[in-house]
Amino acid sequence: MKKWGLTLIALVLTMSLIAACGKKTEAPKDASGGAQTTAPAKKLILGTSADYPPYEFHKSTNGKDEIIGFDIMIAKEIAKDMGAELEIKDMKFDGLLPALQSGNVDMILSGMTPTEERKKNVDFSKTYYTAKQMIVVRAEDKDKYKTMDSLTGKRIVVQKASIQETVAKEQIKDAKIKTLSKITDIVLELKNKNADAAIIELPVATSHVNRDKSIVIAEATPTVEEAGSAVAFKKGSQDKIDLVNKTIDRLIAEKKIEQFVTEASNQVEAE
């Protein structure tokens, strides 16, 4: 009887297991109670230097600080097309490439020019925006600097590790070059008469001179090959570059980048 009892128990357990295996597993539910059809969004970490209006800059909205600008608008479109959640890390411009190479950020959008030197260490997307370089001086000195030769031997302040630093070295004879990390510090250095001129990209220069009448854009203009700005990724990221290039192509075709530049410039002027 004991043997038959054990056999009966084993049979019942076996039938229960078969029945359980035959049940359909219920799909996980989303917040609305419906079946969840997509995995949680992956994170895309953006490295930028948010002192470069209208590309990227800080703005207080209802007492809350946020980083905005047309680079940020582009980054959001890239993240959307990748199905990722965008996270922004703000840092000094000269720290961006080391952060990318060490894996602390996934990509850089910060008005960065894809120079041949930078291409040795990181991969770049196609150019998404091109701007000229400008000489910014104090308003009282506007008539002094009408040609690049008039800057010979002068004190020039530029952003560290930037294309403007290269321009100063290559196009201003005997220039006494000072490099700083932040554009706001560069403008302050110029206003405090610790420099004779600054080299700043046109949209950024325009945003500052429109808000501060003590500085102006000089007639002297550097001759720079129009390399423009591109998105940077770690070496070996061609799959991501291909996705980013598709987003850039779409934004250009839809004339969204022009719209973003205008919107960001208006936000700067509204501060």
Side-chain angles (χ1 to χ4, degrees):
M1 287 295 293
K2 187 180 287 187
K3 180 186 280 188
W4 281 108
L6 291 173
T7 302
L8 182 60
I9 291 170
L11 182 61
V12 169
L13 289 173
T14 301
M15 294 301 292
S16 298
L17 182 61
I18 292 171
C21 291
K23 287 183 179 178
K24 291 183 180 179
T25 302
E26 189 174 343
K29 303 292 184 180
D30 61 18
S32 64
Q36 183 175 310
T37 56
T38 56
K42 57 186 177 182
K43 193 166 283 186
L44 182 65
I45 303 175
L46 167 68
T48 194
S49 182
D51 66 331
Y52 207 57
Y55 286 80
E56 51 273 323
F57 56 102
H58 288 267
K59 187 177 179 69
S60 179
T61 305
N62 297 323
K64 181 183 177 182
D65 179 71
E66 60 178 332
I67 298 173
I68 60 175
F70 74 83
D71 270 350
I72 306 304
M73 296 179 194
I74 293 169
K76 287 179 179 178
E77 292 292 325
I78 290 170
K80 182 179 73 175
D81 286 353
M82 285 187 174
E85 176 190 348
L86 185 68
E87 178 181 326
I88 303 171
K89 284 191 177 181
D90 182 18
M91 60 190 70
K92 293 180 179 179
F93 187 81
D94 55 320
L96 289 172
L97 289 178
L100 182 64
Q101 291 170 306
S102 65
N104 287 331
V105 300
D106 299 316
M107 68 176 183
I108 296 170
L109 266 99
S110 198
M112 184 171 282
T113 302
T115 63
E116 292 305 315
E117 188 62 30
R118 287 171 179 158
K119 286 179 182 178
K120 293 176 184 177
N121 301 305
V122 298
D123 286 338
F124 282 99
S125 70
K126 59 176 58 178
T127 298
Y128 62 83
Y129 184 73
T130 300
K132 296 178 180 179
Q133 305 300 326
M134 295 288 111
I135 304 295
V136 179
V137 299
R138 291 181 293 278
E140 63 200 60
D141 295 335
K142 182 179 181 180
D143 294 334
K144 289 183 181 179
Y145 305 112
K146 295 189 175 182
T147 67
M148 292 301 289
D149 286 340
S150 65
L151 293 163
T152 298
K154 298 300 181 182
R155 299 169 300 165
I156 311 297
V157 61
V158 293
Q159 192 168 45
K160 188 176 182 180
S162 68
I163 190 70
Q164 292 83 23
E165 184 177 355
T166 303
V167 171
K169 289 176 179 177
E170 294 180 352
Q171 297 191 36
I172 301 176
K173 187 177 180 182
D174 300 326
K176 298 176 180 68
I177 301 170
K178 183 171 185 177
T179 61
L180 296 172
S181 294
K182 293 189 173 184
I183 294 293
T184 48
D185 292 339
I186 289 170
V187 172
L188 191 60
E189 195 77 354
L190 178 62
K191 291 176 62 175
N192 288 341
K193 300 188 176 181
N194 294 321
D196 299 304
I199 305 176
I200 304 175
E201 204 165 55
L202 178 58
V204 183
T206 301
S207 74
H208 281 279
V209 301
N210 284 349
R211 289 181 294 164
D212 190 337
K213 300 305 178 185
S214 70
I215 55 175
V216 295
I217 295 174
E219 287 185 37
T221 306
T223 303
V224 184
E225 182 180 346
E226 294 189 348
S229 299
V231 187
F233 281 90
K234 284 180 75 170
K235 277 289 184 185
S237 301
Q238 192 57 50
D239 55 337
K240 292 187 178 115
I241 296 293
D242 290 341
L243 290 172
V244 170
N245 284 342
K246 287 182 181 178
T247 299
I248 291 171
D249 285 340
R250 174 177 66 79
L251 294 176
I252 291 173
E254 295 173 354
K255 297 190 176 179
K256 287 282 189 179
I257 292 180
E258 295 174 19
Q259 178 186 324
F260 293 164
V261 173
T262 300
E263 288 178 10
S265 299
N266 289 340
Q267 287 175 315
V268 173
E269 292 176 9
E271 284 192 310

